[in-house]
């Protein structure tokens, strides 16, 4: 079973994942992304899907035109785990390209 983040790991989330926020009332993190148009947003989602599939860890997401909102939590752990941190960092890495 996947373990939830420790208190120390949670304390470091803000510095490890700038731009990501805790979801109010839920043990999850979220981030909103904006792109120039739908095509760019869709391309980003396709790249995230490939990362998620490779990590066998799939996001919850929402897309309208140029906006993509991603929420990460590990259902097997009942909340945030290192899997969420790794996927969030990989998603952020897509933006650095």
């Amino acid at each position: 079973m996947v373990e939830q983040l420790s208190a120390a790991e949670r304390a470091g989330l803000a510095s490890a994942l700038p731009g990501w926020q805790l979801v109010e009332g839920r043990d999850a993190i979220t981030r909103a992304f904006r792109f120039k148009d739908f095509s760019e947003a869709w391309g980003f989602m396709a790249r995230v899907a490939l990362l998620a599939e490779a990590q066998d860890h799939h996001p919850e997401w929402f897309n309208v035109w140029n906006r993509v909102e991603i929420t990460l939590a590990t259902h097997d752990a009942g909340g945030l785990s290192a899997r969420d941190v790794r996927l969030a960092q990989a998603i952020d890495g897509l933006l650095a390209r």
Side-chain angles (χ1 to χ4, degrees):
M1 178 147 184
V2 180
E3 305 252 340
Q4 285 189 5
L5 293 179
S6 68
E9 290 168 324
R10 287 172 186 280
L13 282 177
S15 62
L17 299 173
W20 292 83
Q21 301 173 12
L22 291 172
V23 176
E24 189 173 330
R26 184 172 170 204
D27 194 21
I29 54 175
T30 191
R31 183 167 177 188
F33 302 89
R34 284 197 178 261
F35 300 94
K36 80 175 179 183
D37 56 26
F38 177 76
S39 181
E40 193 174 287
W42 185 262
F44 172 75
M45 290 176 68
R47 291 189 303 277
V48 171
L50 293 173
L51 288 174
E53 192 64 20
Q55 293 185 23
D56 192 29
H57 189 54
H58 304 93
E60 298 171 25
W61 53 15
F62 177 79
N63 165 245
V64 174
W65 190 59
N66 69 338
R67 295 177 297 148
V68 176
E69 297 171 15
I70 299 177
T71 300
L72 300 173
T74 303
H75 300 286
D76 292 346
L80 287 170
S81 76
R83 297 180 83 188
D84 302 303
V85 174
R86 280 192 303 273
L87 184 53
Q89 289 171 329
I91 290 168
D92 288 347
L94 292 174
L95 300 172
R97 295 178 183 178

